[in-house]
Amino acid sequence: MKILPYYEAFPDSPAYREMQPLRIPAGWRIGWNQLLVTMDGDLTDIGGSSVFHATNEGRRFNIDVEFRPEFDPEGAFHLTVIYQPWPRTDRGRRRQDVPFRFDGDAQTVHTFETRSYLHLIAELEHWIARCTIWAREEN
């Protein structure tokens, strides 16, 4: 039996093989991804309220996908897109010296609920693409 280095064996691991392929352009930081191709069907095994979480600091967007209620076969996927406005000076100019974080000024710009995994993936990729190019504020 040949023992492969971990990086050669990784594509054969079940955790990797079952991951949902996603189109994600540069600029996104994926904080959490539990989307699996096996979710297209029985929803009874989906737990952990957040199943996907991504942030694009440059565009100031956050996309979160939850499954609520957890482990409930009657549950649904909930996608939320949040935008964090730029902090401004007294003269209204962007302050780029302030560390990026989501706070009380964050705005929910889109929500989506579905029980269909295929509709969720289509909506998620649409909003990742849109938020990659969307500039919500002037300088």
Side-chain angles (χ1 to χ4, degrees):
M1 177 166 106
K2 181 179 177 186
I3 297 176
L4 297 174
Y6 75 91
Y7 54 84
E8 290 181 19
F10 184 71
D12 292 329
S13 77
Y16 183 78
R17 279 194 319 260
E18 294 176 358
M19 287 186 75
Q20 173 65 48
L22 293 170
R23 294 175 291 177
I24 302 176
W28 287 92
R29 185 181 73 236
I30 309 304
W32 187 255
N33 182 7
Q34 294 296 310
L35 295 172
L36 305 173
V37 293
T38 56
M39 289 178 171
D40 185 21
D42 184 14
L43 302 178
T44 58
D45 292 333
I46 302 175
S49 60
S50 185
V51 293
F52 181 85
H53 188 266
T55 302
N56 188 320
E57 283 191 33
R59 293 293 180 179
R60 306 183 71 78
F61 284 102
N62 176 273
I63 298 177
D64 188 52
V65 177
E66 297 176 308
F67 187 82
R68 300 190 305 247
E70 295 180 58
F71 301 108
D72 186 338
E74 300 302 315
F77 295 100
H78 296 262
L79 181 144
T80 305
V81 180
I82 297 173
Y83 176 75
Q84 176 63 48
W86 283 92
R88 301 284 178 168
T89 66
D90 292 338
R91 297 180 67 190
R93 296 190 180 175
R94 286 183 183 177
R95 290 192 57 200
Q96 297 193 14
D97 61 332
V98 178
F100 177 76
R101 66 182 174 87
F102 288 92
D103 60 22
D105 294 331
Q107 305 163 357
T108 300
V109 296
H110 180 71
T111 59
F112 176 75
E113 179 181 340
T114 186
R115 289 185 39 79
S116 167
Y117 184 71
L118 296 177
H119 289 146
L120 169 69
I121 296 304
E123 189 78 359
L124 176 59
E125 286 191 332
H126 167 82
W127 280 94
I128 288 172
R130 181 173 181 177
C131 294
T132 299
I133 61 171
W134 191 11
R136 285 194 36 106
E137 297 180 75
E138 301 288 327
N139 286 334

